[in-house]
Amino acid sequence: MGTKISNLSEIHALVETNTKRDEGILGYAKQFKIGQILHPFRHVKKQGFSLISVLIAMILSRFGGLSIYAMQKTGQTNMDGNTIYRLMDNPIIDWRSIVRLFAHQFMRCVRIHGEDNGKEKCFILDDTDIPKTGKTIEGGSRIYSHVHNRYIFGFKLLVLCYGDGKSLVPYDFSLHRDSKNKNYGLTAKEQKKQHHTEYPSDSATCVRYNELDMEKTVTGLSMIKRAIKHGIHAAYVLMDSW
């Protein structure tokens, strides 16, 4: 998540000025039918900023490579950071579903504009480190980083992508932690200080929390099955050996 998306020339053109940025984002919002994607969660935000406004603010923070706090300090948003954080913490919102619907809209745009190159499609399953500094973060653990060749605190993010030979789009994801049999690499004092929340058993957040201790191969297979169930097919799967 450290990559500055604004370094990409196509996106950078959208964020050079507020006018270009706003027009560009509205154009993408229209093409991807963001309002339709968020419609199932419309009841989450009944007051203040609309759900779509908060989501676009989150997208802009990534386009600019800025934190929410930095966006506020530079005047790029007048939205209270707590508004965004409350939305991100809402257990009702199924972020997995939103990512999947974005992917389907992307594929729809490819078909409409005739960009399908006819090459074999594939699934790509890969994991990456999500380093964190605060050990009180719920579900965090020490994970082995193959980048740094040592243990760091954070999560493993497992992502299923769909590739068509030209484009690569994320389709599904899960978070994981390590060292379950060694108290997740934490001392008893550190474990006691970690946040623990009781989530509704049928909430999307509860599902993601329960996946923390699952084998990545198991959740990866579940992702592929879900993709096929939703009409996405590929000729093969690319992945590292874990």
Side-chain angles (χ1 to χ4, degrees), residues 156-180:
K156 286 286 186 182
L157 172 65
L158 181 64
V159 180
L160 177 70
C161 293
Y162 178 76
D164 61 7
K166 183 178 181 180
S167 303
L168 186 68
V169 57
Y171 192 83
D172 206 339
F173 71 95
S174 60
L175 292 171
H176 298 268
R177 56 185 175 182
D178 288 343
S179 308
K180 179 180 180 180

Side-chain angles (χ1 to χ4, degrees), residues 28-231:
Y28 278 116
K30 186 176 180 180
Q31 274 202 44
F32 280 82
K33 299 185 177 181
I34 293 180
Q36 182 178 315
I37 289 174
L38 298 179
H39 185 72
F41 311 104
R42 64 192 182 283
H43 59 283
V44 172
K45 285 285 293 174
K46 296 181 179 179
Q47 299 179 23
F49 291 97
S50 66
L51 180 58
I52 191 170
S53 297
V54 180
L55 181 63
I56 287 177
M58 292 166 62
I59 293 173
L60 285 175
S61 74
R62 298 308 309 139
F63 281 176
L66 299 174
S67 66
I68 302 301
Y69 175 76
M71 285 184 66
Q72 288 179 297
K73 294 294 287 185
T74 55
Q76 294 191 36
T77 181
N78 59 354
M79 191 178 294
D80 180 12
N82 289 328
T83 300
I84 297 176
Y85 296 134
R86 280 195 298 269
L87 181 69
M88 294 172 66
D89 287 341
N90 194 312
I92 297 175
I93 295 187
D94 186 355
W95 294 106
R96 169 174 281 153
S97 173
I98 291 175
V99 170
R100 183 182 72 243
L101 290 171
F102 261 104
H104 279 278
Q105 291 293 0
F106 174 83
M107 294 175 218
R108 180 188 64 84
C109 291
V110 168
R111 290 194 299 271
I112 290 174
H113 295 287
E115 297 292 336
D116 192 332
N117 54 24
K119 292 185 178 180
E120 284 191 334
K121 312 302 187 289
C122 71
F123 289 127
I124 300 175
L125 195 62
D126 201 7
D127 67 341
T128 188
D129 301 337
I130 304 294
K132 296 292 181 181
T133 54
K135 293 181 182 178
T136 60
I137 294 174
E138 186 170 19
S141 75
R142 281 190 170 82
I143 57 173
Y144 188 78
S145 171
H146 293 281
V147 176
H148 303 288
N149 290 318
R150 60 182 176 84
Y151 281 92
I152 63 173
F153 185 79
F155 299 88
K156 286 286 186 182
L157 172 65
L158 181 64
V159 180
L160 177 70
C161 293
Y162 178 76
D164 61 7
K166 183 178 181 180
S167 303
L168 186 68
V169 57
Y171 192 83
D172 206 339
F173 71 95
S174 60
L175 292 171
H176 298 268
R177 56 185 175 182
D178 288 343
S179 308
K180 179 180 180 180
N181 296 327
K182 296 182 180 179
N183 297 322
Y184 305 108
L186 303 173
T187 65
K189 186 177 180 180
E190 289 171 336
Q191 279 191 301
K192 188 175 181 179
K193 287 184 176 181
Q194 275 198 331
H195 289 291
H196 296 283
T197 308
E198 292 293 330
Y199 299 106
S201 59
D202 59 345
S203 68
T205 301
C206 185
V207 172
R208 285 198 302 274
Y209 186 85
N210 291 336
E211 287 175 338
L212 281 173
D213 293 322
M214 293 177 65
E215 294 288 339
K216 288 181 289 185
T217 49
V218 173
T219 51
L221 186 58
S222 295
M223 290 181 193
I224 295 172
K225 288 180 178 179
R226 276 195 296 271
I228 294 173
K229 180 181 177 180
H230 286 94

